[in-house]
Amino acid sequence: MVRDSELIQDFLEGDINGFNCLARKWQVRLYSFAYRYLMDEEEAKEIVQSALIKTYKNLRKLKNPEKFSSWIFQITVNLCKDYIKNTKNNRLTALNEEIIQSESANNDHMHSMETRANPVKKLDQQNLAEIIKKTLAQLPEEQRVVIIMKEYEGFKFSEIAEFLSCPVNTVKSRMYYGLTQMQKILKKYNINGDVIFNEM
Amino acid sequence: MKCDKTKEDVFDYFYNEISEKEKAEFKKHVTKCGSCRRALKEIETTSRVLQTWKVPEPDVHFVFAQEKVTWTERIKGLIPSFELLRRHAAVTFAGSIAAVFLLFSIANFKASYNADTGTIMISTSVFGVPEDQFYLELVDKYVNEQMNALFNAFEQRNFEMMDAMFAENENYQREQIYDLMTSLDRDWQLQRQVDLEHVGSSLQTIYDINGEQLDNTIKFFADLFQYAGIREIER
Ligand SMILES: [Zn+2]
């Protein structure tokens, strides 16, 4: 894999392909992040496109190419935050309403599931993903973004603190409250780690 | 047992953000501390649940740099064979010139006779380089002028006109190149005639000097010229 800094060097020397390689290399990761954060496919695509355009326009201003990964991530994070601020994230609101609506209907279903011998065995990956999505959607945005950055992007707490411009301990608190909340919700769905992982 | 660890400590351990020494220490602590063990297990479980959520790759191609550059690039993007077309014309043209030029190089042998040893020396003379250069430049200039005209037209964003213009221009260009080639060919024919006359007079000189070797020489040149596509030489 070619290093980002080499591709940036190529681009700065006038090779447009340097940028294209960079974009190709990063698009999926940025998309996954934006999608998990906003939970909206179309919006995530828009965000990635805007992030790539911003990157293209400002790459010359990046002083330290070694910091490219945090830089392009910061751009994406900011775009996501702007989007949430400006739209109050309709998709998430819709998702939450959906959850509340289906809650009463689901309760009976969940109840009947619980009475079976090993109900969670029936969970396949897609159902589980839906549940995780719904669970994360119910968390406050500031907790959700920390969990996504930590669990899926693998950033250090100090890096997350920088992205969100808040103290490291705040990040850890949000992570803690987020995970605790998640555990409660997952238990409601009758998801218990041991059963799932024996199955998968 | 009294526990002095915080939730931050558990995170740091689980996400591997501490030194090896601290890690070993915490590991030891966990074997004795039930509350830390439980906290760790909770995080582990939630983390593993989260890891099962995979996001499928986006179903679009994002727009990259080349689609966002100059008008020239855009035109080239609109007509994929644009560059090829230009290069093809140039290669064909250069090829024709090279072929004709080679022919003339052969026809333009210099013959010299060494009276002492009785041998005939033959060497090629490269003629016409400046002329070729001139014609090449002429064509290049012409093509460039056409290109510039096209780009200017494009600046007016008259997309619908573009197709028609390109087709017309292509024909026009082809005609122009054909005309240019024809006139070049005419010039070369003329030049060739002059050269042949020159060769003829050289032969006459050689004949005067040494009549006996003339037949062989004539034969040699006749073969040579026949090879070069020249039909007949007057004695
Ligand atoms: Zn402890």
Side-chain angles (χ1 to χ4, degrees):
Chain A
M1 184 73 105
V2 190
R3 288 156 52 94
D4 289 341
S5 54
E6 288 168 23
L7 295 172
I8 294 168
Q9 188 64 33
D10 288 350
F11 172 69
L12 294 183
E13 281 166 8
D15 179 7
I16 212 96
N17 238 358
F19 176 81
N20 288 342
C21 289
L22 210 55
R24 228 165 269 132
K25 194 175 156 188
W26 276 87
Q27 58 177 1
V28 174
R29 189 173 168 194
L30 296 181
Y31 172 79
S32 305
F33 171 74
Y35 177 74
R36 285 189 174 114
Y37 191 6
L38 306 174
M39 305 212 180
D40 185 315
E41 223 174 282
E42 291 310 312
E43 207 45 56
K45 287 179 205 164
E46 287 286 311
I47 295 271
V48 175
Q49 183 65 82
S50 312
L52 291 176
I53 290 169
K54 267 203 156 154
T55 305
Y56 179 79
K57 282 184 182 160
N58 295 302
L59 198 50
R60 274 164 217 290
K61 293 180 206 157
L62 176 65
K63 294 214 172 64
N64 186 355
E66 295 298 328
K67 290 200 168 165
F68 177 78
S69 65
S70 356
W71 184 72
I72 194 171
F73 227 88
Q74 184 74 64
I75 290 175
T76 313
V77 171
N78 291 349
L79 286 168
C80 288
K81 281 179 148 263
D82 287 349
Y83 170 75
I84 288 173
K85 206 164 68 188
N86 294 336
T87 60
K88 298 200 178 77
N89 213 351
N90 293 323
R91 177 80 193 99
L92 271 179
T93 318
L95 200 63
N96 263 327
E97 273 165 15
E98 198 183 296
I99 290 163
I100 292 162
Q101 273 177 6
S102 63
E103 204 90 299
S104 49
N106 250 2
N107 268 348
D108 303 331
H109 180 59
M110 291 308 278
H111 188 73
S112 68
M113 272 174 83
E114 276 166 40
T115 55
R116 283 180 207 158
N118 217 340
V120 191
K121 276 193 174 176
K122 296 230 184 286
L123 272 177
D124 58 29
Q125 188 119 5
Q126 209 184 350
N127 284 334
L128 189 58
E130 275 308 307
I131 291 173
I132 295 166
K133 228 167 118 179
K134 284 179 180 174
T135 308
L136 280 170
Q138 291 176 69
L139 299 182
E141 179 248 321
E142 51 180 34
Q143 292 173 15
R144 188 173 70 245
V145 69
V146 171
I147 292 177
I148 291 167
M149 280 181 170
K150 186 73 211 171
E151 275 294 331
Y152 298 110
E153 303 304 330
F155 284 116
K156 288 186 173 154
F157 285 118
S158 58
E159 290 171 311
I160 297 172
E162 228 168 282
F163 286 134
L164 305 175
S165 37
C166 65
V168 177
N169 276 339
T170 308
V171 172
K172 284 182 183 170
S173 297
R174 288 176 185 175
M175 183 85 189
Y176 176 76
Y177 288 117
L179 288 184
T180 309
Q181 182 69 11
M182 268 202 81
Q183 281 151 15
K184 277 187 203 157
I185 302 169
L186 288 175
K187 267 175 198 149
K188 231 169 64 183
Y189 281 104
N190 203 22
I191 291 176
N192 153 318
D194 300 334
V195 185
I196 298 164
F197 304 121
N198 290 340
E199 276 304 292
M200 287 189 159
Chain B
M1 136 161 218
K2 195 173 168 283
C3 176
D4 59 347
K5 304 290 179 198
T6 61
K7 59 177 187 285
E8 281 87 358
D9 293 331
V10 184
F11 275 149
D12 286 341
Y13 173 77
F14 180 72
Y15 289 111
N16 206 8
E17 293 195 25
I18 46 172
S19 67
E20 288 301 315
K21 194 175 158 237
E22 289 169 306
K23 233 164 107 180
E25 193 197 304
F26 189 89
K27 218 169 175 175
K28 215 171 123 192
H29 170 83
V30 162
T31 58
K32 291 180 225 155
C33 175
S35 89
C36 281
R37 204 160 47 234
R38 271 191 302 280
L40 197 59
K41 193 153 192 317
E42 291 264 271
I43 298 175
E44 212 177 339
T45 303
T46 318
S47 170
R48 288 172 78 179
V49 171
L50 282 167
Q51 287 306 319
T52 60
W53 181 23
K54 311 271 186 255
V55 173
E57 286 196 11
D59 56 356
V60 287
H61 293 287
F62 294 102
V63 178
F64 293 150
Q66 72 263 38
E67 277 138 303
K68 297 244 165 232
V69 281
T70 58
W71 286 107
T72 323
E73 294 296 328
R74 277 182 188 224
I75 294 178
K76 285 175 186 172
L78 274 175
I79 301 142
S81 57
F82 183 82
E83 197 63 21
L84 212 69
L85 213 98
R86 196 180 166 186
R87 204 173 301 146
H88 181 75
V91 166
T92 313
F93 191 71
S96 320
I97 287 177
V100 180
F101 180 60
L102 193 75
L103 212 67
F104 273 97
S105 298
I106 297 166
N108 213 42
F109 271 118
K110 256 188 193 162
S112 61
Y113 176 69
N114 190 322
D116 292 336
T117 57
T119 52
I120 295 170
M121 304 285 291
I122 294 170
S123 62
T124 53
S125 91
V126 181
F127 99 100
V129 175
E131 280 93 333
D132 291 334
Q133 208 60 46
F134 170 75
Y135 288 121
L136 271 174
E137 272 167 21
L138 202 72
V139 172
D140 215 64
K141 194 175 157 225
Y142 169 75
V143 171
N144 273 333
E145 269 169 21
Q146 291 299 312
M147 294 298 151
N148 285 339
L150 276 173
F151 295 162
N152 289 338
F154 195 84
E155 294 273 10
Q156 293 158 20
R157 304 185 186 197
N158 203 336
F159 280 100
E160 281 170 4
M161 287 280 288
M162 285 302 293
D163 278 343
M165 267 195 65
F166 264 93
E168 204 179 322
N169 181 68
E170 201 184 314
N171 276 336
Y172 183 54
Q173 209 165 302
R174 203 176 284 146
E175 272 170 34
Q176 290 290 308
I177 288 175
Y178 178 78
D179 287 346
L180 210 58
M181 285 297 286
T182 315
S183 79
L184 268 174
D185 196 41
R186 226 179 4 251
D187 290 351
W188 276 328
Q189 292 290 354
L190 205 70
Q191 180 69 43
R192 190 165 69 168
Q193 214 167 351
V194 173
D195 283 339
L196 286 181
E197 275 166 24
H198 179 71
V199 170
S201 68
S202 299
L203 285 178
Q204 192 57 50
T205 315
I206 293 168
Y207 184 80
D208 290 340
I209 294 168
N210 193 331
E212 202 174 311
Q213 276 197 320
L214 181 68
D215 284 343
N216 289 339
T217 311
I218 293 294
K219 206 163 177 294
F220 176 77
F221 270 98
D223 289 343
L224 195 65
F225 287 135
Q226 199 169 14
Y227 181 73
I230 295 158
R231 285 182 195 148
E232 214 177 305
I233 304 160
E234 280 188 17
R235 283 200 177 195

